Amino acid sequence: MSRPIRARLDWAALRHNHRVVKQHAGAARVWSVVKADAYGHGLLAAARALSDATDGFALVELEGAMALRDAGFAHPILMMEGPYQADDLPLFAELELTPVLHSMWQVDALIDACLPRRQPVYLKLNTGMNRLGFDADDFTAALDRLVAADCLESVTLMTHFADADEARGIQHQLERFRSVSGKRMLPACLANSAALLRFPEAIGDWVRPGIMLYGSSPFPAMQSAVALDLQPVMTLESELIAVRNLEPGAAVGYGSSFVAEGPMRIGIVACGYGDGYPRHAPTGTPVQVAGQRTRTLGRVSMDKICVDLSELPSTVGVGDTVTLWGGAGNMYLAADDVATAAGTVSYEMFCALAARVPLIDVN
């Protein structure tokens, strides 16, 4: 028998979450963000689940775009970091990819390439994130240069919000975007998951949801995924493979970081950081055992996690299901709760899922 850990992927939940996106987006079109192997959920499987619903796919990996085209997807594809070198541009044209241009060399390379098809492009303005994008003066110059070249099918303006999930919000960035884009009547792509859910004034013509598609909240400190009507797509589950009783003073795991203050019953779970579970998750990180919430104990090791069974019925034992995150009904454990306890975000946990964990498609 194979090791009992598995990740269940509920594609009906993904489609449900996309419907939630549409409810918030209104008339705006939707780029479904599938970068990083669809946030660890599997690029092609996620794309198939969304193929009849989404207006397009957004990612950063050229190999991923090639895989989508090879699999027969004819949807628009947005390359959110644009070409990485000028030699990529003929392939962009062949595959009909829409580049996000964020540097002047990309603008110059596109114009110089004389591609065989008129190219739709996105032009990215840096409004305060200070990662990719043109500053105001260069943005205007790049836009004028593209328009004058007369080699484009269309230009869409884009920015990315740094604080859509924080108290500061987006107003300062939105005002900067509007002041720079001025009176140019061009379509805009502004809202990520957090802005889409929280700031309807930033929806624009296209939205690009990411984490909410996969069933996590972009702002778990303010609103849970359940409150946002989002359903988990990924459920990571395993089983108890051993149970043992501890005497007071007995330590658990590497470094003896947890010491029992009294008699305890603990369980050993076939899951560890070698499976993608966060190694830095401390004692007290929530976990579900046989449908009941409890906590982890001690350090996470490569293949195993220890959990507290002291308050659970004595009938709970070897072979019982352990939900690390996800699930439904009384087995539901929000990935955001696990991430918060571990000092990380659900994005990282999903993307870290290890190749040795079997994937099981549901719905």
Short mmCIF file of all heavy atoms in Angstrom, two decimals, residues 98-99 110 118-123 146 151-157 186-187 206:
data_model
loop_
_atom_site.label_atom_id
_atom_site.label_comp_id
_atom_site.label_asym_id
_atom_site.label_seq_id
_atom_site.Cartn_x
_atom_site.Cartn_y
_atom_site.Cartn_z
N THR A 98 -0.26 37.62 -25.20
CA THR A 98 -0.32 39.05 -24.94
C THR A 98 0.73 39.41 -23.90
O THR A 98 0.63 38.97 -22.75
CB THR A 98 -1.71 39.44 -24.42
OG1 THR A 98 -2.70 39.11 -25.40
CG2 THR A 98 -1.78 40.94 -24.13
N PRO A 99 1.74 40.19 -24.28
CA PRO A 99 2.78 40.53 -23.30
C PRO A 99 2.41 41.74 -22.46
O PRO A 99 1.77 42.68 -22.93
CB PRO A 99 3.99 40.86 -24.18
CG PRO A 99 3.38 41.43 -25.43
CD PRO A 99 2.07 40.71 -25.63
N LEU A 110 9.81 45.05 -29.19
CA LEU A 110 8.56 44.71 -29.88
C LEU A 110 8.42 45.50 -31.17
O LEU A 110 8.03 44.95 -32.21
CB LEU A 110 7.38 45.00 -28.95
CG LEU A 110 5.99 44.74 -29.52
CD1 LEU A 110 5.81 43.27 -29.89
CD2 LEU A 110 4.90 45.17 -28.54
N ARG A 118 -0.42 41.87 -35.81
CA ARG A 118 -0.58 43.03 -34.94
C ARG A 118 -0.83 42.53 -33.52
O ARG A 118 -1.68 41.68 -33.28
CB ARG A 118 -1.72 43.92 -35.44
CG ARG A 118 -1.40 44.55 -36.79
CD ARG A 118 -2.58 45.35 -37.32
NE ARG A 118 -2.81 46.56 -36.52
CZ ARG A 118 -2.18 47.72 -36.72
NH1 ARG A 118 -1.25 47.81 -37.68
NH2 ARG A 118 -2.45 48.77 -35.98
N GLN A 119 -0.08 43.07 -32.60
CA GLN A 119 0.04 42.48 -31.27
C GLN A 119 -0.81 43.24 -30.24
O GLN A 119 -0.67 44.45 -30.10
CB GLN A 119 1.51 42.54 -30.84
CG GLN A 119 1.85 41.79 -29.59
CD GLN A 119 2.02 40.30 -29.86
OE1 GLN A 119 2.16 39.87 -30.99
NE2 GLN A 119 1.98 39.52 -28.80
N PRO A 120 -1.68 42.55 -29.49
CA PRO A 120 -2.25 43.21 -28.31
C PRO A 120 -1.20 43.25 -27.22
O PRO A 120 -0.45 42.28 -27.02
CB PRO A 120 -3.42 42.30 -27.93
CG PRO A 120 -3.01 40.95 -28.42
CD PRO A 120 -2.16 41.17 -29.64
N VAL A 121 -1.11 44.37 -26.52
CA VAL A 121 -0.13 44.47 -25.44
C VAL A 121 -0.78 45.12 -24.23
O VAL A 121 -1.79 45.83 -24.34
CB VAL A 121 1.12 45.29 -25.84
CG1 VAL A 121 1.82 44.68 -27.04
CG2 VAL A 121 0.76 46.75 -26.10
N TYR A 122 -0.19 44.84 -23.08
CA TYR A 122 -0.51 45.55 -21.84
C TYR A 122 0.70 46.40 -21.49
O TYR A 122 1.85 45.96 -21.64
CB TYR A 122 -0.78 44.57 -20.70
CG TYR A 122 -2.20 44.04 -20.64
CD1 TYR A 122 -2.88 43.65 -21.78
CD2 TYR A 122 -2.87 43.95 -19.42
CE1 TYR A 122 -4.18 43.17 -21.72
CE2 TYR A 122 -4.17 43.48 -19.34
CZ TYR A 122 -4.82 43.09 -20.50
OH TYR A 122 -6.11 42.63 -20.43
N LEU A 123 0.44 47.61 -21.03
CA LEU A 123 1.51 48.51 -20.61
C LEU A 123 1.35 48.76 -19.12
O LEU A 123 0.29 49.22 -18.67
CB LEU A 123 1.45 49.81 -21.40
CG LEU A 123 2.70 50.69 -21.32
CD1 LEU A 123 3.90 49.98 -21.97
CD2 LEU A 123 2.46 52.04 -22.00
N LEU A 146 4.57 53.39 -28.62
CA LEU A 146 3.79 52.27 -29.12
C LEU A 146 2.69 52.73 -30.07
O LEU A 146 2.46 52.13 -31.13
CB LEU A 146 3.17 51.51 -27.94
CG LEU A 146 4.10 50.65 -27.11
CD1 LEU A 146 3.42 50.20 -25.82
CD2 LEU A 146 4.59 49.44 -27.90
N CYS A 151 1.83 49.31 -34.83
CA CYS A 151 2.03 47.88 -35.06
C CYS A 151 1.21 47.03 -34.09
O CYS A 151 1.43 45.83 -33.98
CB CYS A 151 3.51 47.52 -34.95
SG CYS A 151 4.22 47.82 -33.31
N LEU A 152 0.27 47.68 -33.39
CA LEU A 152 -0.44 46.99 -32.32
C LEU A 152 -1.90 46.76 -32.68
O LEU A 152 -2.53 47.56 -33.38
CB LEU A 152 -0.35 47.79 -31.03
CG LEU A 152 1.05 48.15 -30.54
CD1 LEU A 152 0.94 48.95 -29.27
CD2 LEU A 152 1.88 46.90 -30.31
N GLU A 153 -2.43 45.67 -32.13
CA GLU A 153 -3.86 45.43 -32.22
C GLU A 153 -4.60 46.27 -31.19
O GLU A 153 -5.66 46.84 -31.46
CB GLU A 153 -4.15 43.95 -32.00
CG GLU A 153 -5.62 43.58 -31.98
CD GLU A 153 -5.82 42.12 -31.65
OE1 GLU A 153 -5.22 41.26 -32.33
OE2 GLU A 153 -6.57 41.84 -30.69
N SER A 154 -4.04 46.36 -29.96
CA SER A 154 -4.66 47.12 -28.89
C SER A 154 -3.64 47.33 -27.78
O SER A 154 -2.65 46.61 -27.68
CB SER A 154 -5.88 46.38 -28.33
OG SER A 154 -5.48 45.13 -27.77
N VAL A 155 -3.92 48.35 -26.94
CA VAL A 155 -3.13 48.61 -25.75
C VAL A 155 -4.07 48.66 -24.54
O VAL A 155 -5.08 49.38 -24.57
CB VAL A 155 -2.35 49.93 -25.84
CG1 VAL A 155 -1.55 50.16 -24.55
CG2 VAL A 155 -1.43 49.94 -27.04
N THR A 156 -3.75 47.89 -23.52
CA THR A 156 -4.48 47.92 -22.26
C THR A 156 -3.53 48.41 -21.18
O THR A 156 -2.37 47.98 -21.13
CB THR A 156 -5.04 46.54 -21.90
OG1 THR A 156 -5.94 46.12 -22.94
CG2 THR A 156 -5.78 46.55 -20.58
N LEU A 157 -4.00 49.29 -20.32
CA LEU A 157 -3.17 49.83 -19.25
C LEU A 157 -3.35 49.00 -17.98
O LEU A 157 -4.44 48.52 -17.69
CB LEU A 157 -3.55 51.28 -18.98
CG LEU A 157 -3.55 52.21 -20.19
CD1 LEU A 157 -3.85 53.64 -19.79
CD2 LEU A 157 -2.23 52.13 -20.96
N LEU A 186 -8.38 54.22 -22.93
CA LEU A 186 -7.86 52.88 -23.16
C LEU A 186 -8.38 51.94 -22.08
O LEU A 186 -8.59 52.36 -20.94
CB LEU A 186 -6.33 52.89 -23.15
CG LEU A 186 -5.66 53.65 -24.30
CD1 LEU A 186 -4.16 53.75 -24.06
CD2 LEU A 186 -5.94 52.98 -25.64
N PRO A 187 -8.58 50.66 -22.41
CA PRO A 187 -9.03 49.70 -21.39
C PRO A 187 -7.99 49.55 -20.30
O PRO A 187 -6.80 49.79 -20.50
CB PRO A 187 -9.24 48.41 -22.17
CG PRO A 187 -8.45 48.57 -23.42
CD PRO A 187 -8.43 50.03 -23.74
N TRP A 206 -10.76 44.49 -17.24
CA TRP A 206 -10.32 43.11 -16.98
C TRP A 206 -9.96 43.00 -15.51
O TRP A 206 -9.39 43.94 -14.93
CB TRP A 206 -9.09 42.76 -17.82
CG TRP A 206 -9.33 42.47 -19.27
CD1 TRP A 206 -9.43 43.38 -20.28
CD2 TRP A 206 -9.45 41.18 -19.87
NE1 TRP A 206 -9.61 42.74 -21.47
CE2 TRP A 206 -9.63 41.38 -21.26
CE3 TRP A 206 -9.43 39.88 -19.38
CZ2 TRP A 206 -9.78 40.33 -22.15
CZ3 TRP A 206 -9.58 38.82 -20.27
CH2 TRP A 206 -9.76 39.06 -21.64
#
